[in-house]
Amino acid sequence: MSAQKDCEFLVKRARELVSEDPCAAKAWLITARTLYPTDFSIQYEMYNIERNAEKTASAGRLLYDMFINFPDQPIVWREISVITAALRSDSQDKHAQFLRGLFETLPGRVQCEMLLKATEQCFNTLEKAEMLLLLLKRFPESVVQHGVNLGETLLEAEASESVETPVNCFRKLFVCDVLPLVINNMDMRLPTSLMQKYILKAAEFYIGYVTRGPSPDGQLQGTQDSGTLKSPGISRGSQRYVIDGLSEKSSVVAEPWERLLDIVTVVGARCEWQGDKGQRSYVDMLLRVKELCRYLPGLEGETRSHCCSQVVICAALVLFRSAFLYVSAVQPALFQGVSSMNSGPWILVEDLSSVYRDLEMDRGALKHAHKKRKLADGREKTMSSDDEEGLGKGRGRHVLVNKMEMPSWSETLESFRTARESWDLLHSHDGLEVEFKKICAVWKTDSWLWFRIFLTDMIIYQGQYRKALSSLHQMAAVQQPQPGQQSPSGQAGLEHHRALIQQASCHYALGEYRMACEKLLDVVSGLLPPTQEPIKSTDDQGRMKTKTRKGNDLRLLPCTSKAVLPFCLQLMLACFKLRAFADNRDDLSLGHVVVLLQHDWPQGEMLFLKAVDKICQQGSFQYENFFNYVTNIDMLEEFAYLRTPEGGRIQLELLPNQGMLIKHHTVTRGITKGVKEDFRLAMERQVSRCGENLLNVLHRFCINEKIIIIQSLP
Amino acid sequence: MGDIRQSLLPRDVLSAAKELLYHLDIYICNLVQSGRQPPQVDSKTLELVEEFILHAPKDRGAPVRKMSALQELQLLEIMCSCFQEQSRDTVRQLMFSALFSLQGNQADESRMVLLGKLVSMAVAMGRVPILECAASWLQRTHRVYCVRLAQVLVDDYCSMVPGSVPTLQNIHSMSPRFCCQFITAVTTLYDLSSEELTPPLELLQMIVSWIQDDPRLVLITFLNTPLSGSQPISSLDVTPLGGLVRWCVKAPLAYKRDKKQALTDGSSDGEPDPRPLFSALHLSVLQVFMLLPNILNEKGLFGLLPLLQMESVAALTSDLSRLLDQADKHTHTSQADAQASSQLALDRLAQALQVAMASGALLCSREDLRAICSRLPHNNLLQLVLSGPVMYYNNIHTPPLAYSPHAAHSPIASHATLPAHAPHTSLGPHPAPHAQYPAQPFMTGMPFPFRPSH
């Protein structure tokens, strides 16, 4: 016989009674407790009855008693861990809500102690952190004691668990939950260096989150809305994203750029950043540090480095945000949560809408390009001269875009501009550049494909084509279409073409026409022959505007077969144009030009007439592919006319092997008549081909004559 | 006041009574203003009240003036508004005393009748000042009259007019003090000794719901009373706890008896089962006990004021043992049923005693308890309570003093003086005096047969 036996007896009686007469059971337990006030089983049974009946207030009171009187009982701890788990979870089930309500009935001091002790008993870093976070959120005064430690624990955990991405559960908790509590607690003294470290951790997380790639299964599930660029981080439709270790709900980060701006604002205020009166927007931020930069050379020591940090952090954030906004418009498929349904990829290329213009204006550019090409022997020296020139050229270039096809064109171009400005700012002083490179090294921005896309476009804009080409080569290696990724629309193939087209455009800009043509003929051979006559109007708008521009504008070209083939044709035309109209005779080039001028007819009418002039001057013209690829009725008429006495009896050798034929005919009589007859027949046949799909003809031209075309360029 | 009598005499009964009330009001106001301590209404005035309001015969053979029922109703209305309008609490209390304090004379009878009607009317009309005065009256007056007043209300609201219980239910919110005194009076009245003295079910339901809603209600009078010494002899207990304990303990036996009768009558009228009500009430009573240590400590009365008196406990145990004997003698129902009811009664007794003792409401030693419980049949819990918790010298289970105020003399102290006896084997009722109880063993492993047979 023992106290324990007594207690067992009392508890047993209560248990027997509880279902039929809970009041009697409670009466037994009250009595039992007065007999054995220090017996745990009695109080636990009391608690159990109230808990099972979900009586929040009385269960809370009893839990409190147990917590105070039996702090070492494992059962109490099990119970507390169940309750704290309910607090951490977002479950809406009735029992979880009851447990949360139960916790709320406890006095604050006890809640605080409970959470702390529960935290101590937790061995899983993540759970421990979540638990401590509950504490910090409820009891702001505890932030002073635990806030920074918790943050450091999370960052250490991230390091020790060697997670691959900054978008991981530890960082999420740190950046989204702990950091705001810490930096907003004014009772804490935080060294500037620590806050700078934290803001960079936060920025790395948010940028990583926003620019995360699409999940393999969610890639094509984007919703119909075209989506504004302002909130790219909000997940749309059925796209799901889960950070490893977190629930789907807590993996969602709403308004990441806004949150980051909030942190910058608070940290800026706490670090006493110059001229900082609360960041209203990223644009404001850039303006402010631009201003600040002007004073930078006059500063020294501590003040200077302080100022440098502010400029670098702010400018870097603006850079990455704007670059992201630009790339998310240009290459939406790279990101999750950015709608890619309505706008495919876009390619930044040389604007060729002036290709049909007279050559006089281009001559200068040609000489320039030749000079450049001579210098560009791949040596470091030439690169830098290229850069210098490029920088000069980069000023005030226009980027044209079809506004109908890209509704958000102005935001996109604005983002591109802002990003470039931020980049320039970051490279305007050695001190800034060093700091910025440190950040890039830590974040491994080299491995960010999306950022490389921006950088490539930026250096193209700056006219540093040589550099852009090497960047494109690297990217092409990374971007090889993967077998599994081939989507039914051929999108992946097109994206692969994107790099080739850009390379072709760069080679062209460098005057390397043969390389340019090689690349773009590769592209064209990958395109399916067009099935429909193109709608003429698509490009008109842009062309009208560019009439007066110099030849160094850029264009954002939609990466679709519809847009790519015409561009390739224009680029080829541009490559051959100078050669064809050069002083020395080059009938092959001139013939290619004539073929290519059919596209977009009568845009090239003026050039065609110029070609005709040249042929007249030469008195003869030989192009054996003529009847294979020229179906334009105006051109056919013109050539037919050239042979007439009125036209000047120009000797035209336009039939395959006609030269041979002429020789053959000289032996017999009536040769001219026979040739004449052949030409007439060919013309007649050709006129009947006028209705043929021109793009189809030109596509065939590109495929069949690929070798000749390339060989005809030096 | 003599001239007042002269002026009252020619008037008709109602206007004379009205006039006197008016004068009384002025008289008492002056009395209070004069600041004489204690303000006392003189006997002349009291006589006038008896003559013109209570209409007690002044002299032998003198004609008795009587009011018609309508006039009486009018008078009651006037009195109601008179108390309602009087803003000063002291004046109201003095007036109420002048009218209704028992004087030990012939007029008391009509005084009680009028009081009953006034309070019943105040309940119906929600006249809080009158209920407050009546609560004080219930504290000062001999319990016999208190019980009579309670009886009037129970008759009026629970028996006479069906469906009027909700009106009475309201007194809980109108005047908690009155409500508390009413409960005390009712539990004193209905001692469950006979069918007539078994509370009507409506009343029981009402009281249970009151206490469940607010257990502190039963302590209101105690909490508002400055000190215990001033309590008039034979007035009601300061709390209804004793009466409620008696209800709960005796109920399993009393209601079984009723039920039996109902069964023999063949009239099962579908009345709700009182058993869960008593179970809930019993729990509430224990919970009220558990509130006491803090309250008593705050008042500095812990261990000094027995809210549950030893005499009433002794009366209860002897009542109980008699009831159990009776139950034993003529068991109509099955043996098992009877056994269960008896054990329930004993369980509740043991629980009430233990919790009352632990909370400082019952001031006695376990030895004392063993003496008064000696005639009761065996019950595991009761035995456990009577012997007290097992104590080990080297045990972490040391009861903290906060829970056991009588640790000084219970159980160690009380048992230490007892000689050790041979283990007692009988499990039946113990006719033997407490001295024959075996001593409490403190060592583990010692056989101790009267501990619960788990």
Side-chain angles (χ1 to χ4, degrees):
Chain A
M1 295 300 123
S2 63
Q4 203 193 336
K5 278 273 163 59
D6 280 356
C7 294
E8 280 168 12
F9 162 72
L10 293 163
V11 169
K12 183 168 153 278
R13 282 294 285 142
R15 276 198 197 136
E16 286 163 4
L17 284 164
V18 74
S19 57
E20 66 178 275
D21 188 352
C23 288
K26 290 185 208 174
W28 271 84
L29 289 170
I30 287 176
T31 312
R33 191 171 61 172
T34 62
L35 280 163
Y36 292 102
T38 57
D39 185 82
F40 173 70
S41 63
I42 294 168
Q43 298 202 27
Y44 180 66
E45 198 61 31
M46 291 174 112
Y47 169 74
N48 246 350
I49 290 177
E50 300 300 325
R51 195 190 106 125
N52 293 342
E54 301 208 333
K55 299 261 178 65
T56 316
S58 41
R61 170 72 215 191
L62 288 163
L63 181 66
Y64 170 82
D65 287 348
M66 289 199 295
F67 181 75
I68 299 296
N69 296 323
F70 307 99
D72 302 320
Q73 281 287 342
I75 295 175
V76 175
W77 285 107
R78 207 176 312 144
E79 195 58 28
I80 287 170
S81 68
V82 169
I83 292 167
T84 48
L87 288 174
R88 281 184 286 128
S89 87
D90 35 37
S91 159
Q92 289 305 306
D93 81 63
K94 202 168 146 271
H95 191 63
Q97 282 180 342
F98 160 72
L99 290 174
R100 287 196 282 266
L102 175 65
F103 187 78
E104 295 309 328
T105 66
L106 300 171
R109 184 180 49 79
V110 175
Q111 290 182 341
C112 183
E113 229 173 290
M114 233 179 228
L115 287 172
L116 256 184
K117 288 201 179 172
T119 308
E120 282 166 20
Q121 303 220 335
C122 216
F123 293 107
N124 174 316
T125 313
L126 189 62
E127 271 181 31
K128 194 171 184 149
E130 285 178 330
M131 203 91 86
L132 206 53
L133 200 57
L134 284 176
L135 179 80
L136 301 192
K137 278 182 179 163
R138 274 162 189 278
F139 306 101
E141 64 277 8
S142 64
V143 172
V144 178
Q145 199 190 338
H146 302 286
V148 172
N149 284 343
L150 175 57
E152 291 298 323
T153 310
L154 285 167
L155 294 178
E156 277 165 28
E158 186 187 339
S160 68
E161 308 236 334
S162 58
V163 282
E164 287 163 6
T165 155
V167 187
N168 59 64
C169 56
F170 304 111
R171 187 75 73 92
K172 155 82 174 40
L173 226 54
F174 172 73
V175 172
C176 298
D177 300 305
V178 179
L179 191 55
L181 290 174
V182 169
I183 58 174
N184 285 306
N185 190 311
M186 294 303 160
D187 294 334
M188 287 170 76
R189 281 173 186 277
L190 297 170
T192 307
S193 60
L194 190 71
M195 281 192 286
Q196 282 175 2
K197 171 183 153 188
Y198 284 174
I199 201 173
L200 291 176
K201 289 285 182 190
E204 188 189 12
F205 169 79
Y206 282 122
I207 293 168
Y209 180 82
V210 170
T211 60
R212 69 199 187 274
S215 49
D217 55 336
Q219 194 173 6
L220 292 168
Q221 295 177 356
T223 47
Q224 294 304 318
D225 67 336
S226 59
T228 57
L229 289 171
K230 281 166 190 161
S231 52
I234 293 168
S235 68
R236 290 201 180 107
S238 56
Q239 287 195 342
R240 298 166 71 172
Y241 181 68
V242 175
I243 297 173
D244 200 19
L246 297 181
S247 70
E248 191 180 329
K249 193 182 158 200
S250 50
S251 296
V252 176
V253 178
E255 312 248 312
W257 291 116
E258 301 311 308
R259 295 289 80 72
L260 180 56
L261 189 64
D262 291 344
I263 291 174
V264 174
T265 307
V266 176
V267 168
R270 297 198 66 153
C271 289
E272 290 168 345
W273 277 354
Q274 292 300 310
D276 190 286
K277 292 179 188 70
Q279 316 287 356
R280 283 187 304 275
S281 71
Y282 284 91
V283 177
D284 281 354
M285 202 151 82
L286 183 63
L287 289 176
R288 192 162 300 117
V289 291
K290 255 186 183 171
E291 186 74 9
L292 192 57
C293 247
R294 295 203 281 145
Y295 301 100
L296 205 55
L299 299 175
E300 277 179 354
E302 193 97 328
T303 327
R304 187 187 156 93
S305 66
H306 189 72
C307 200
C308 266
S309 304
Q310 178 186 351
V311 173
V312 170
I313 289 171
C314 293
L317 297 188
V318 177
L319 165 67
F320 288 118
R321 176 171 177 273
S322 306
F324 163 74
L325 292 178
Y326 171 71
V327 178
S328 67
V330 167
Q331 280 271 68
L334 281 179
F335 308 109
Q336 178 167 37
V338 177
S339 172
S340 57
M341 286 309 273
N342 295 329
S343 60
W346 295 73
I347 323 163
L348 187 71
V349 290
E350 297 297 300
D351 176 51
L352 295 174
S353 47
S354 57
V355 73
Y356 301 110
R357 267 189 334 206
D358 201 354
L359 326 162
E360 295 313 314
M361 291 179 86
D362 295 342
R363 284 257 157 77
L366 175 81
K367 276 182 207 149
H368 201 68
H370 277 306
K371 188 185 109 198
K372 241 189 290 178
R373 197 160 60 87
K374 275 173 204 150
L375 286 166
D377 277 334
R379 283 184 293 127
E380 208 53 42
K381 181 80 188 135
T382 42
M383 287 300 276
S384 70
S385 85
D386 177 40
D387 286 356
E388 274 161 34
E389 260 178 315
L391 275 171
K393 204 178 181 184
R395 297 270 173 265
R397 291 183 90 179
H398 288 275
V399 179
L400 308 169
V401 60
N402 185 317
K403 293 166 190 176
M404 299 296 282
E405 287 176 275
M406 188 192 266
S408 61
W409 64 275
S410 83
E411 288 96 326
T412 305
L413 296 184
E414 185 60 29
S415 300
F416 189 42
R417 194 181 61 75
T418 310
R420 291 190 324 259
E421 275 179 27
S422 315
W423 175 272
D424 291 345
L425 188 69
L426 285 166
H427 294 77
S428 61
H429 293 273
D430 283 348
L432 300 178
E433 199 173 335
V434 167
E435 286 289 310
F436 176 62
K437 281 191 169 143
K438 275 189 210 159
I439 294 176
C440 291
V442 173
W443 289 358
K444 301 194 184 72
T445 56
D446 286 349
S447 63
W448 295 358
L449 178 64
W450 68 272
F451 190 58
R452 185 170 280 276
I453 287 171
F454 159 73
L455 285 180
T456 308
D457 285 5
M458 181 181 75
I459 49 186
I460 287 173
Y461 181 90
Q462 290 169 344
Q464 304 180 54
Y465 296 105
R466 185 69 59 203
K467 238 165 140 181
L469 276 171
S470 75
S471 178
L472 282 167
H473 283 302
Q474 285 177 30
M475 241 185 338
V478 183
Q479 248 189 328
Q480 281 301 334
Q482 269 146 45
Q485 266 186 336
Q486 201 77 32
S487 54
S489 60
Q491 190 79 353
L494 271 177
E495 280 183 41
H496 174 63
H497 291 337
R498 189 183 182 278
L500 284 176
I501 294 165
Q502 223 166 25
Q503 283 174 25
S505 169
C506 288
H507 282 301
Y508 164 74
L510 287 168
E512 298 167 353
Y513 300 134
R514 187 183 176 138
M515 285 298 282
C517 281
E518 260 180 48
K519 297 288 177 193
L520 58 87
L521 286 171
D522 276 353
V523 173
V524 174
S525 58
L527 295 174
L528 298 171
T531 49
Q532 291 171 316
E533 203 56 41
I535 303 128
K536 284 262 175 177
S537 67
T538 48
D539 229 19
D540 284 350
Q541 212 180 358
R543 189 178 304 123
M544 289 314 178
K545 292 209 163 181
T546 57
K547 282 263 153 88
T548 55
R549 292 225 171 95
K550 299 168 273 139
N552 63 356
D553 284 345
L554 294 168
R555 162 171 297 275
L556 272 174
L557 183 76
C559 191
T560 58
S561 336
K562 201 178 85 183
V564 164
L565 184 56
F567 175 78
C568 289
L569 297 172
Q570 288 180 352
L571 191 59
M572 277 164 68
L573 177 61
C575 289
F576 282 103
K577 198 168 98 177
L578 288 166
R579 243 188 116 65
F581 295 109
D583 294 337
N584 42 340
R585 183 172 168 168
D586 185 347
D587 280 10
L588 195 55
S589 295
L590 195 60
H592 293 333
V593 164
V594 169
V595 171
L596 291 165
L597 281 174
Q598 295 180 94
H599 176 59
D600 253 355
W601 188 258
Q603 288 285 326
E605 194 173 8
M606 207 248 305
L607 274 183
F608 175 68
L609 292 177
K610 207 175 162 66
V612 170
D613 277 354
K614 189 161 194 238
I615 291 168
C616 288
Q617 278 168 23
Q618 288 176 185
S620 67
F621 176 59
Q622 183 182 3
Y623 187 64
E624 297 180 353
N625 273 325
F626 185 86
F627 285 114
N628 286 334
Y629 303 113
V630 178
T631 60
N632 183 299
I633 188 72
D634 296 336
M635 290 182 175
L636 293 174
E637 273 179 9
E638 193 62 31
F639 274 92
Y641 174 75
L642 284 180
R643 279 174 60 93
T644 62
E646 296 87 357
R649 292 184 193 278
I650 306 298
Q651 262 215 311
L652 295 176
E653 294 177 35
L654 304 179
L655 290 163
N657 303 319
Q658 199 183 342
M660 291 287 285
L661 218 66
I662 291 168
K663 275 174 198 153
H664 175 70
H665 278 286
T666 42
V667 233
T668 52
R669 280 180 294 139
I671 34 155
T672 347
K673 201 184 175 192
V675 171
K676 244 182 196 167
E677 193 58 19
D678 287 349
F679 187 84
R680 200 181 58 82
L681 286 172
M683 263 307 174
E684 275 172 12
R685 199 184 61 229
Q686 208 61 10
V687 169
S688 70
R689 282 181 63 194
C690 278
E692 243 179 79
N693 183 329
L694 180 68
L695 280 178
N696 235 330
V697 173
L698 295 175
H699 183 253
R700 213 161 51 229
F701 169 69
C702 293
I703 307 261
N704 296 345
E705 312 308 325
K706 185 173 175 180
I707 295 165
I708 295 177
I709 293 169
I710 291 168
Q711 281 175 350
S712 53
L713 287 165
Chain B
M1 279 296 226
D3 4 323
I4 292 170
R5 182 165 190 270
Q6 290 308 313
S7 73
L8 291 177
L9 274 173
R11 292 173 178 259
D12 70 282
V13 271
L14 184 60
S15 72
K18 266 168 72 177
E19 190 67 16
L20 179 56
L21 276 175
Y22 175 70
H23 277 289
L24 197 58
D25 193 51
I26 295 168
Y27 168 74
I28 290 171
C29 281
N30 288 337
L31 196 65
V32 169
Q33 244 152 26
S34 76
R36 199 182 325 141
Q37 285 301 331
Q40 197 143 26
V41 178
D42 64 25
S43 57
K44 275 270 181 336
T45 311
L46 294 177
E47 277 167 24
L48 286 174
V49 167
E50 283 165 13
E51 185 176 356
F52 291 99
I53 294 176
L54 303 172
H55 308 292
K58 192 168 162 54
D59 304 306
R60 228 173 272 250
V64 177
R65 294 159 64 107
K66 263 227 160 227
M67 277 196 274
S68 67
L70 186 63
Q71 283 176 321
E72 193 180 45
L73 186 64
Q74 285 174 317
L75 176 65
L76 287 169
E77 274 179 351
I78 291 161
M79 289 172 92
C80 266
S81 46
C82 182
F83 282 104
Q84 195 69 28
E85 281 153 24
Q86 178 51 255
S87 56
R88 279 188 290 176
D89 201 42
T90 356
V91 175
R92 230 186 292 126
Q93 288 286 356
L94 280 169
M95 186 117 136
F96 200 87
S97 296
L99 290 166
F100 301 113
S101 274
L102 297 175
Q103 303 296 325
N105 56 22
Q106 279 182 310
D108 282 357
E109 202 49 42
S110 35
R111 208 187 300 272
M112 281 308 294
V113 173
L114 191 65
L115 175 65
K117 286 174 180 164
L118 181 70
V119 172
S120 186
M121 191 172 192
V123 168
M125 296 171 66
R127 300 299 189 206
V128 176
I130 293 179
L131 296 182
E132 286 291 308
C133 290
S136 304
W137 185 92
L138 283 165
Q139 268 183 274
R140 287 192 316 264
T141 310
H142 192 284
R143 60 172 70 192
V144 172
Y145 292 96
C146 295
V147 161
R148 271 185 66 180
L149 179 59
Q151 181 81 63
V152 169
L153 294 180
V154 173
D155 286 347
D156 283 2
Y157 289 94
C158 300
S159 314
M160 303 265 281
V161 191
S164 54
V165 173
T167 315
L168 189 58
Q169 182 104 36
N170 286 336
I171 62 171
H172 169 227
S173 50
M174 288 192 291
S175 169
R177 265 181 77 220
F178 178 76
C179 186
C180 174
Q181 287 302 102
F182 175 72
I183 297 171
T184 312
V186 164
T187 54
T188 312
L189 166 64
Y190 296 103
D191 64 359
L192 278 78
S193 60
S194 67
E195 203 194 334
E196 299 76 54
L197 293 177
T198 303
L201 214 62
E202 297 92 334
L203 179 66
L204 177 65
Q205 278 174 323
M206 184 167 65
I207 288 174
V208 170
S209 77
W210 278 338
I211 302 177
Q212 270 185 330
D213 285 354
D214 177 16
R216 290 177 78 90
L217 176 69
V218 300
L219 299 176
I220 290 272
T221 307
F222 167 60
L223 290 170
N224 290 325
T225 307
L227 259 180
S228 60
S230 62
Q231 211 61 17
I233 303 161
S234 12
S235 65
L236 289 173
D237 285 348
V238 72
T239 71
L241 285 168
L244 292 171
V245 168
R246 180 166 58 195
W247 274 16
C248 296
V249 171
K250 287 169 83 172
L253 302 165
Y255 276 81
K256 207 183 67 177
R257 193 184 54 211
D258 284 351
K259 208 176 178 185
K260 214 154 57 200
Q261 277 170 357
L263 278 172
T264 46
D265 294 351
S267 58
S268 82
D269 46 5
E271 275 211 330
D273 187 359
R275 283 175 302 185
L277 288 173
F278 279 109
S279 192
L281 184 62
H282 177 62
L283 175 62
S284 297
V285 169
L286 297 189
Q287 283 165 341
V288 173
F289 277 132
M290 294 310 293
L291 295 173
L292 282 173
N294 281 338
I295 295 169
L296 289 168
N297 275 322
E298 270 168 34
K299 290 194 158 210
L301 287 173
F302 199 97
L304 299 174
L305 178 72
L307 285 176
L308 199 60
Q309 265 128 24
M310 198 54 186
E311 303 82 67
S312 69
V313 172
L316 174 59
T317 54
S318 74
D319 260 15
L320 188 61
S321 95
R322 202 181 58 248
L323 278 171
L324 290 167
D325 278 352
Q326 284 172 6
D328 262 3
K329 273 173 199 147
H330 28 90
T331 14
H332 294 274
T333 46
S334 73
Q335 191 65 40
D337 258 14
Q339 187 64 24
S341 301
S342 309
Q343 288 300 316
L344 179 57
L346 290 167
D347 282 346
R348 284 192 187 152
L349 175 71
Q351 289 166 1
L353 292 179
Q354 167 60 30
V355 176
M357 207 158 64
S359 60
L362 177 62
L363 304 177
C364 69
S365 64
R366 294 196 192 269
E367 194 184 344
D368 299 334
L369 282 187
R370 279 198 288 275
I372 58 168
C373 294
S374 58
R375 288 182 46 79
L376 292 172
H378 172 78
N379 170 278
N380 282 335
L381 183 60
L382 186 59
Q383 296 295 8
L384 207 163
V385 169
L386 294 180
S387 49
V390 179
M391 316 279 287
Y392 301 108
Y393 286 117
N394 294 318
N395 199 320
I396 50 153
H397 292 291
T398 311
L401 290 176
Y403 282 103
S404 179
H406 305 296
H409 50 93
S410 138
I412 305 167
S414 60
H415 292 296
T417 54
L418 287 174
H421 283 266
H424 197 88
T425 45
S426 163
L427 291 176
H430 290 290
H434 67 86
Q436 286 193 352
Y437 264 91
Q440 164 86 44
F442 300 118
M443 305 300 166
T444 48
M446 236 169 113
F448 198 60
F450 74 73
R451 296 208 68 81
S453 41
H454 309 300

